[in-house]
């Protein structure tokens, strides 16, 4: 199923729904649809496809194709204008893809703070009953399967043998392991604000990426006994404010624009929340995931990253999400540790001044677009081919100790 928009000045835009057989336990074996937006910027010569993947909580179109203020936040359109064939995908449970179990408000986390957000919209009185589906929703293997399905679909559609992958935040959890398992299909990997837990869950003993437990997971119930949580616009704003330490780091009013785009990608969630009956403010439905296989052990497997597949990493110096304290166990995240863990020398990393985890919507969004275009075209950024750098407000690069 496709729908196409055309413009004399812009690349052709086509929305696809890619058929897939689900490997999520809640709808295992059932036919589902994976939403993919294509911005085909190919003008002459062979097509050069780029696949962009969202993180944990933000729908892909809101993150990569935000149409606002002369479209300066649409990273996908920027790459298409540079003559790439850009595909923006949604995993199950996000955006306009199939969302198993997520249409039922009873499946929201039973935490009182979560359930309180559901009254009076969609239910007039607070729901305090049990979760209808008492398990997590997706997991690492189902995510890798869905990325693989879309990659294969793109390869068949464009006639190429390999594609470039671009991921934001938790997309590193999908794209890193997928690349290690399928190096022949990946030309390069570009990660912005990547989540990397050095002490993350290990795979099953004796396997590279096998599930370490029986699926679905339901214990502990407080963490995995439900398939989704919900987020508010105020929650988005408060989390973002933690990363704001420079004047004019983000544009006035941008939170409203971003939230509208998120609600446009979640029509059901848009009808939930708010304090007035019949006047919802919208809630962002977020799938509850069980992930493994992305850690200091797996990142080195088979010498793929940095050897067979070049990797570029960009993150903001104010990003409070990707770098946490080392005693947090599974919640210890470190972008520098990801860089150091990549075994090959074909790797670049940039720490960008006055930018946070939401860099895709901040003042430095255009810089991010430019850096990605340089990487995809030339395999280097601002003249650098390898190494870890700090980039200050004046654009000066300082080589960081590795």
């Amino acid at each position: 199923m496709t729908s196409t928009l055309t413009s004399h000045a812009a690349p052709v835009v086509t929305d696809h729904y890619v058929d897939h057989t689900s490997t999520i336990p809640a709808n295992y074996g059932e036919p589902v649809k994976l939403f993919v937006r294509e911005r085909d910027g190919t003008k002459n010569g062979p097509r050069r496809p780029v696949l962009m993947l969202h993180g944990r909580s933000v729908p892909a179109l809101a993150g990569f194709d935000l149409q606002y203020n002369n479209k300066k936040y649409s990273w996908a359109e920027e790459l298409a204008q540079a003559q790439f064939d850009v595909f923006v995908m949604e995993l199950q449970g996000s955006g306009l893809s199939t969302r198993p179990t997520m249409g039922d408000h009873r499946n929201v986390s039973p935490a009182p703070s979560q359930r309180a957000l559901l009254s009076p919209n969609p239910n007039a009185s607070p729901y305090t009953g049990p979760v209808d589906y008492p398990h997590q929703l997706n997991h690492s293997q189902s995510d890798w399967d869905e990325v693989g399905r879309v990659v294969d679909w793109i390869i068949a559609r464009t006639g190429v043998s390999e594609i470039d992958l671009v991921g934001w935040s938790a997309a590193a959890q999908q794209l890193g392991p997928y690349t290690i398992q399928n190096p022949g299909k990946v030309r390069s990997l570009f990660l912005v604000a990547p989540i990397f837990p050095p002490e993350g869950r290990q795979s099953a003993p004796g396997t590279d990426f096998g599930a370490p437990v029986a699926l679905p997971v339901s214990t502990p119930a407080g963490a995995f006994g439900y398939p989704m949580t919900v987020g508010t616009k105020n929650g988005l704003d408060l989390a973002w404010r933690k990363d704001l330490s420079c004047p004019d780091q983000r544009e006035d009013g941008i939170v409203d624009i971003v939230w509208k785009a998120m609600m446009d990608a979640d029509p059901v969630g848009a009808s939930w929340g708010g304090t007035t009956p019949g006047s919802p403010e919208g809630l962002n439905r977020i799938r509850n995931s069980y992930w493994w296989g992305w850690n200091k052990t797996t990142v080195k497997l088979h010498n793929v990253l940095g050897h067979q597949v070049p990797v570029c990493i960009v993150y903001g110096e104010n990003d409070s999400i990707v770098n946490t304290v080392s005693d947090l166990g599974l919640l210890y995240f470190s972008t520098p540790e990801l860089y150091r863990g990549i075994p090959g020398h074909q790797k670049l990393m940039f720490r960008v001044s006055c930018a946070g985890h939401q860099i895709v919507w901040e003042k430095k969004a255009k810089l991010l677009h430019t850096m990605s275009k340089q990487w995809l075209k030339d395999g280097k950024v601002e003249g650098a081919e390898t190494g870890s750098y700090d980039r200050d407000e004046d654009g000066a690069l300082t080589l960081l100790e590795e």
Side-chain angles (χ1 to χ4, degrees):
M1 183 186 303
T2 63
S3 60
T4 303
L5 304 173
T6 60
S7 168
H8 294 298
V12 175
V13 181
T14 308
D15 288 341
H16 307 273
Y17 288 88
V18 177
D19 292 320
H20 176 63
T21 301
S22 179
T23 55
I24 288 179
N27 61 344
Y28 191 90
E30 295 180 11
V32 296
K33 300 290 187 181
L34 303 177
F35 176 83
V36 179
R37 171 165 290 176
E38 179 183 9
R39 287 187 172 273
D40 186 357
T42 304
K43 292 183 173 62
N44 299 296
R47 297 165 83 172
R48 177 73 182 277
V50 177
L51 175 61
M52 309 184 81
L53 182 66
H54 59 88
R56 184 185 70 89
S57 61
V58 176
L61 293 186
F64 297 128
D65 202 14
L66 186 65
Q67 299 294 301
Y68 172 65
N69 200 353
N70 200 28
K71 304 174 184 176
K72 71 179 182 181
Y73 296 108
S74 178
W75 190 359
E77 184 163 343
E78 187 84 5
L79 292 179
Q81 293 285 4
Q83 300 189 39
F84 293 99
D85 192 359
V86 184
F87 298 84
V88 179
M89 78 166 288
E90 297 276 11
L91 296 164
Q92 275 195 90
S94 180
L96 299 173
S97 289
T98 299
R99 288 183 180 242
T101 78
M102 295 177 73
D104 187 345
H105 66 273
R106 294 176 300 172
N107 282 326
V108 170
S109 165
S113 59
Q114 285 275 289
R115 290 288 175 84
L117 299 172
L118 301 172
S119 178
N121 304 301
N123 52 308
S125 59
Y127 176 69
T128 58
V131 173
D132 187 56
Y133 182 78
H135 314 286
Q136 46 75 217
L137 186 63
N138 61 296
H139 52 73
S140 289
Q141 188 61 59
S142 67
D143 287 348
W144 300 332
D145 291 341
E146 290 171 23
V147 170
R149 172 68 183 108
V150 173
V151 168
D152 289 347
W153 176 82
I154 293 171
I155 287 174
R157 179 176 176 82
T158 60
V160 302
S161 60
E162 57 184 12
I163 72 174
D164 297 280
L165 300 179
V166 173
W168 176 26
S169 188
Q173 166 67 52
Q174 287 85 43
L175 299 187
Y178 174 82
T179 298
I180 294 168
Q181 296 172 81
N182 300 273
K185 297 180 181 180
V186 182
R187 188 178 186 277
S188 76
L189 184 58
F190 186 96
L191 300 174
V192 57
I195 298 294
F196 179 71
E199 307 300 329
R201 290 187 191 91
Q202 296 289 336
S203 305
T207 72
D208 286 348
F209 293 102
V213 296
L215 301 169
V217 178
S218 57
T219 57
F224 297 114
Y226 49 88
M228 65 173 163
T229 59
V230 289
T232 65
K233 182 171 74 170
N234 187 55
L236 170 69
D237 187 28
L238 290 176
W240 195 344
R241 287 180 182 275
K242 294 178 182 178
D243 288 359
L244 300 179
S245 63
C246 297
D248 302 321
Q249 188 172 320
R250 71 177 185 185
E251 187 174 356
D252 290 343
I254 190 63
V255 174
D256 293 334
I257 301 302
V258 168
W259 187 254
K260 181 181 183 304
M262 291 172 67
M263 292 299 95
D264 287 345
D266 187 0
V268 172
S271 69
W272 293 1
T275 58
T276 304
S279 298
E281 295 177 355
L283 294 175
N284 180 31
R285 295 180 298 160
I286 304 167
R287 62 203 194 125
N288 189 18
S289 308
Y290 184 84
W291 287 329
W292 70 85
W294 183 232
N295 51 56
K296 64 184 180 183
T297 300
T298 55
V299 73
K300 301 177 185 295
L301 282 175
H302 309 304
N303 281 324
V304 170
L305 300 183
H307 280 295
Q308 299 178 57
V309 180
V311 182
C312 183
I313 299 166
V314 178
Y315 73 101
E317 68 168 346
N318 302 335
D319 193 328
S320 62
I321 294 178
V322 300
N323 293 298
T324 59
V325 295
S326 59
D327 60 356
L328 288 180
L330 293 177
L331 296 180
Y332 165 44
F333 303 141
S334 174
T335 304
E337 285 294 332
L338 171 57
Y339 176 82
R340 286 190 285 267
I342 293 172
H345 296 292
Q346 295 185 73
K347 59 181 181 179
L348 268 171
M349 184 171 73
F350 297 90
R351 184 178 66 195
V352 177
S353 66
C354 289
H357 196 69
Q358 317 298 351
I359 186 174
V360 297
W361 304 313
E362 293 181 351
K363 175 183 176 182
K364 295 296 175 65
K366 279 293 186 183
L367 171 64
L368 178 64
H369 302 170
T370 298
M371 296 175 90
S372 66
K373 285 188 292 185
Q374 292 176 355
W375 170 256
L376 293 170
K377 287 184 175 180
D378 304 320
K380 53 187 175 182
V381 178
E382 299 198 357
E385 295 185 68
T386 189
S388 173
Y389 298 88
D390 178 81
R391 188 187 188 282
D392 68 18
E393 273 290 83
D394 297 321
L397 299 182
T398 301
L399 186 64
L400 298 175
E401 183 178 351
E402 298 180 16

